[in-house]
Amino acid sequence: MESAEFAEPAAGTDPSAGGPLAGVRVIDMATVVMGPYAAQILGDLGADVIKIESPNDTVRVGALHRTPGMTPLNLNVNRNKRSVTLNLKDEGERARALELIGTADILITNMRIEALRRLGMDYDSLAADHPRLVHVHAQGFRPDSDRAKLAAYDETVQAASGLLDLAQRAGDVGAPVVLPSIIADKVAALTIVYAALAALVHQRATGRGQHVEVPMVDTLLAFNLVEHLQGLTFEPPMGPTGFPLSMNKGHRARPTKDGLAMIIPYSPQNFRDLFAAAGRPDLAGDPRVNGEFIDAQRDGEALAELLETVTPHLTTEEWTEVCTKHSIPVGPVLRLDDAPEDPYVREGHLLDVAEHPSEGAYRVVGIPLTFSATPASVRRHAPLPGQHTQEVLAEIDRGEVRR
């Protein structure tokens, strides 16, 4: 079991020194996953991230915890941050929050526009006093649309962005199940990150901040349409939406002698090589695998069924060797419960164990990228609610941060 070693920086030190975003300050005033995950990524990249939060944030509520509020989801979206608890409805504490915002390069929030205006924390209210501030606002639907006041959750965004339609058509089912991942929140979070960084480049060049709006539905719809716009790309349309390979009902994991593997032969030669490796060269004469290409729309399901009559002949490891030899896409199906002991995960330090000051031993989701000159790092454990309130406010009072 690998052990990740990192310690809380001493008060008054620069916790972001060495990262590509060293010297950048981010105020995370968002809740749940989308905004906090984006802010965490900026923190991983070296930014000094201060989270202004309520102790009742959804990510701090759950059955699994050792200390109240320190849930798995909280540990996975709030590392590399300092937590400041302020009641924004209280005039004095709101004033302190505004002081903190005044020290920041980037503000991330997912509050409704009306609530931000009441607090004096919308872009128009802040821009005059803080012209360098990059104000990133995210919510479910565009604020200027007739859906702006609809409550948005990952499931409803998957529906409104066309993702459930794709799932229904690909699975040929009456009631599609949502993708078992909060993909809308996480795709929007990644969009927040690149949008904030682009605005930061502009700020560094001009000295001016700006308002950045990230609507979840628009973001996920654009994400889905990259490949799925298909025939509707042209006007008039040349066909329906839906990327044929992704919509192919035979696009599924295959049974092997000892488990499951994602074996995806794309070309006629791929199929013939697989049949030969399974000891069924007779199947290589099938006319469907002897043309110029595989017609996935016409033959995908039938060829998948044929393929699955031979894949149980070899183990997953044996198929991996065969596919590697013949340049056929292959991947073992990872059971998430087995991830900590998976050699690839271990070698990449993607789930090392660290010692949290209040939670004890826990697994830290690794940073999935590397920089040769300015490495990203995990420097702070996810904090307790309000853990750094006095420390951060004292820094402001001492004038340690100026923008």
Side-chain angles (χ1 to χ4, degrees):
M1 184 168 63
E2 298 289 343
S3 178
E5 296 183 4
F6 58 97
E8 294 285 314
T13 63
D14 179 4
S16 63
L21 294 185
V24 173
R25 171 166 283 192
V26 178
I27 301 297
D28 172 12
M29 209 168 65
T31 56
V32 197
V33 171
M34 173 177 54
Y37 182 44
Q40 174 177 279
I41 292 171
L42 296 173
D44 290 351
L45 297 177
D48 177 22
V49 181
I50 297 173
K51 182 173 183 64
I52 300 177
E53 67 172 318
S54 160
N56 297 319
D57 191 346
T58 306
V59 298
R60 290 195 179 275
V61 178
L64 296 176
H65 59 76
R66 294 168 179 165
T67 303
M70 302 300 285
T71 61
L73 190 54
N74 173 65
L75 291 169
N76 285 332
V77 298
N78 283 323
R79 73 180 179 212
N80 280 337
K81 301 179 186 180
R82 293 188 285 173
S83 172
V84 174
T85 303
L86 293 171
N87 178 7
L88 299 182
K89 295 180 180 179
D90 178 89
E91 185 175 351
E93 295 194 26
R94 182 169 66 253
R96 296 297 267 165
L98 287 168
E99 284 184 79
L100 266 177
I101 291 171
T103 71
D105 294 286
I106 300 168
L107 169 67
I108 298 174
T109 178
N110 63 343
M111 284 189 194
R112 298 284 180 85
I113 290 291
E114 296 84 356
L116 286 171
R117 289 190 183 119
R118 287 194 298 270
L119 295 170
M121 294 179 175
D122 59 301
Y123 177 71
D124 291 338
S125 299
L126 292 171
D129 290 333
H130 310 297
R132 289 177 54 85
L133 182 67
V134 174
H135 189 293
V136 185
H137 177 253
Q139 64 180 63
F141 298 87
R142 290 188 311 278
D144 59 351
S145 72
D146 59 0
R147 299 183 183 181
K149 295 184 179 180
L150 293 179
Y153 291 84
D154 201 274
E155 299 89 339
T156 60
V157 174
Q158 287 194 34
S161 67
L163 190 56
L164 286 191
D165 172 58
L166 293 168
Q168 182 177 36
R169 289 157 57 189
D172 195 20
V173 294
V177 176
V178 299
L179 192 71
S181 173
I182 49 174
I183 190 169
D185 277 86
K186 291 184 286 187
V187 169
L190 296 175
T191 304
I192 289 171
V193 170
Y194 77 68
L197 292 178
L200 187 65
V201 170
H202 174 264
Q203 181 223 60
R204 292 299 198 254
T206 67
R208 305 292 299 181
Q210 60 183 297
H211 179 61
V212 179
E213 193 67 55
V214 183
M216 294 175 71
V217 171
D218 303 49
T219 298
L220 194 58
L221 177 60
F223 182 83
N224 292 334
L225 291 179
V226 170
E227 76 276 32
H228 286 296
L229 187 57
Q230 282 296 294
L232 251 61
T233 301
F234 304 98
E235 185 57 39
M238 295 180 64
T241 55
F243 186 55
L245 283 175
S246 298
M247 304 299 284
N248 177 6
K249 294 179 179 61
H251 222 54
R252 57 184 179 244
R254 321 293 180 191
T256 67
K257 184 181 286 188
D258 61 352
L260 289 171
M262 199 68 185
I263 302 170
I264 305 293
Y266 276 113
S267 70
Q269 186 64 52
N270 285 168
F271 274 93
R272 296 196 296 269
D273 288 336
L274 282 171
F275 292 147
R280 293 295 308 274
D282 54 303
L283 296 178
D286 191 307
R288 294 171 297 186
V289 300
N290 281 279
E292 293 183 12
F293 61 92
I294 298 297
D295 190 330
Q297 286 183 297
R298 186 191 68 193
D299 301 325
E301 177 68 10
L303 284 176
E305 293 175 358
L306 182 61
L307 186 64
E308 286 157 18
T309 66
V310 302
T311 54
H313 293 184
L314 300 178
T315 65
T316 298
E317 184 176 351
E318 289 169 337
W319 275 123
T320 300
E321 293 176 1
V322 168
C323 291
T324 301
K325 177 181 177 181
H326 295 288
S327 297
I328 300 169
V330 63
V333 174
L334 173 68
R335 292 180 67 254
L336 283 182
D337 284 349
D338 297 334
E341 302 308 319
D342 182 83
Y344 184 84
V345 174
R346 288 171 62 89
E347 290 164 10
H349 299 283
L350 298 175
L351 276 178
D352 286 353
V353 174
E355 190 73 18
H356 192 287
S358 66
E359 307 313 299
Y362 79 113
R363 294 195 180 277
V364 179
V365 178
I367 298 172
L369 48 81
T370 59
F371 293 80
S372 63
T374 55
S377 63
V378 180
R379 303 170 308 284
R380 293 184 182 275
H381 302 278
L384 296 165
Q387 179 177 331
H388 302 97
T389 302
Q390 297 305 316
E391 173 188 316
V392 171
L393 295 184
E395 288 176 8
I396 301 300
D397 292 337
R398 292 195 299 268
E400 292 182 0
V401 181
R402 287 284 182 264
R403 286 285 179 264

